[in-house]
Amino acid sequence: MTTPLSILDLAPIAPGQTVRESFAASVALAQTAEKHGYQRVWYAEHHNMPTIASSATSVLIGHVASQTSTIRLGSGGVMLPNHSPLTIAEQFGTLAELYPGRIDLGLGRAPGSDQTTARAMRRDPRASDQFPQDVMELAAYLRDESIIPGVRAVPGAGTNVPLYILGSSLFGAGLAAALGLPYAFASHFAPDSLFEAVATYRRDFRPSAQLAEPYLMVAANVIAADDGADATQQFEIMRRSRVRSMIARGPASPEYSDDQIDAFLTTTEGRRLADMMRYTAVGTPADVRTFLEELTTATQADELILAHASQQIGDRLRSVELTAGAMVGVPA
C-alpha cells in the first residue's frame, strides 16, 4: 500500500486574478488530483481575506463536485462556531445526497478571520467554548438521532457524513480522541505542537461508531517542480506573499516591496513567521519524496494532506502531478 495523499485548497486569488478564475483553478486542481489518485480535496473556511476565495465552503464543494466524478471533497474545515450545527447538517446533508459517498466534513473551532470580521459575522465571542457540544449536536443530526426533540435535519438525517476534527493544538487532539473521530493536524502553518498533539490523540483515542482505531492526517506545504531552482524560486514567492498577508492587514496597511519583506525575514519576528512554514517540501520530485517520507515516518501519519503552495495554477497542477508520481510505492 502507499500512503494516501490528499489536497488542501484555499482557492487562492493570485495577483491579477479574479475570483471566477480562482474557482476555475480549483476545479482544474481537483480534476488533476482525481486523475493522479489523490484521496480527497478539502477547502478551508476563511473570511475577509483578499487572497482566499473559499469562504462559502459548502457552495465551492458543490461546484467542484459537479465537475469531478470520484474524488472525495470536503471542508478543511468548516469553522463550526460561525454556524448553527443544524445549518451545517443541512448543507452537508444536501451535498451528500447530491454526491453520495464523496463528501467529508472537517470541523474547526477558530473564527477563520480577525476579531472585527468575527463581529461582522455576528459570531458570539463565547461560541468556541461550545465547540465540543456543537460537534456532538451536528453528529446527531447526521445520524438522524437529534438531541433536540422535534428538530430534524432535512436533508442531512441519516446521511452519516463522516466528521473530522481539525486542530493545531492539544485541544483538538483531545476532542478527536474523546469522540473517536479522525484528526487532522494543521502543521502546514502551525507546526509547534505537532508531535505532542499526535501523541495525545493516539494515547487517548476511544473507538466510536465511525472509527475503530485512530486515523491521523498530517498537513504539509508542497512545491514540486522539474527543476530544483525553479521550486526554490516558487517557494520564495509564496513565503513573501504569506508573510506580507500576515503583517499587512486592512486597507490602510502599507505596500511592502519584496526587498522589505526579505529584510523583515532576517528579524526575530520575521524568522518566527517563516518558521510557521517549517513543514514545506520544496524541490524536485525526489526532494519532495524524501521530505514527505520522513514526515510520515516521524508522525506515523495515516494520510498526508498537502497544500500545493505555488502561486500560479500551472505550477500547482505540475506540483500535484509530480508529487503523486514521486510517492507511488512509498509504504504506508
Side-chain angles (χ1 to χ4, degrees), residues 134-183:
D134 285 349
V135 172
M136 290 187 286
E137 182 181 336
L138 172 57
Y141 287 131
L142 295 171
R143 292 193 307 268
D144 199 11
E145 299 173 2
S146 175
I147 60 178
I148 300 178
V151 178
R152 189 168 182 257
V154 182
T159 57
N160 293 296
V161 176
L163 303 183
Y164 297 74
I165 299 297
L166 280 60
S168 58
S169 68
L170 301 187
F171 178 89
L175 180 62
L179 298 181
L181 295 175
Y183 180 53

Side-chain angles (χ1 to χ4, degrees), residues 53-73:
S54 53
S55 55
T57 313
S58 61
V59 179
L60 181 57
I61 291 168
H63 175 63
V64 177
S66 72
Q67 299 183 68
T68 52
S69 57
T70 58
I71 195 164
R72 297 190 68 90
L73 300 164

Side-chain angles (χ1 to χ4, degrees), residues 9-23 25-26 49-53 237-238 241 244 309-316:
D9 181 8
L10 299 180
I13 307 170
Q17 186 181 55
T18 67
V19 170
R20 180 184 291 270
E21 289 168 335
S22 168
F23 292 151
S26 287
M49 295 188 180
T51 59
I52 295 177
I237 292 170
M238 178 274 286
S241 176
R244 186 178 284 114
S310 303
Q311 191 171 79
Q312 299 302 316
I313 182 58
D315 293 328
R316 289 204 300 281

Side-chain angles (χ1 to χ4, degrees), residues 224-243:
D226 295 283
D227 177 73
D230 182 24
T232 299
Q233 183 179 35
Q234 291 180 39
F235 170 72
E236 290 172 352
I237 292 170
M238 178 274 286
R239 182 172 63 177
R240 290 188 192 111
S241 176
R242 289 198 183 180
V243 171

Side-chain angles (χ1 to χ4, degrees), residues 55 94 118 184 197 246 279 309 319:
S55 55
T94 298
M246 285 187 275
Y279 292 111
S319 182

Side-chain angles (χ1 to χ4, degrees), residues 64 95 98 159 182-183 202 205 225 228-229 250 262 264 322:
V64 177
L95 289 168
L98 291 170
T159 57
Y183 180 53
R202 293 198 182 281
F205 181 85
D262 290 343
F264 174 72
L322 292 174

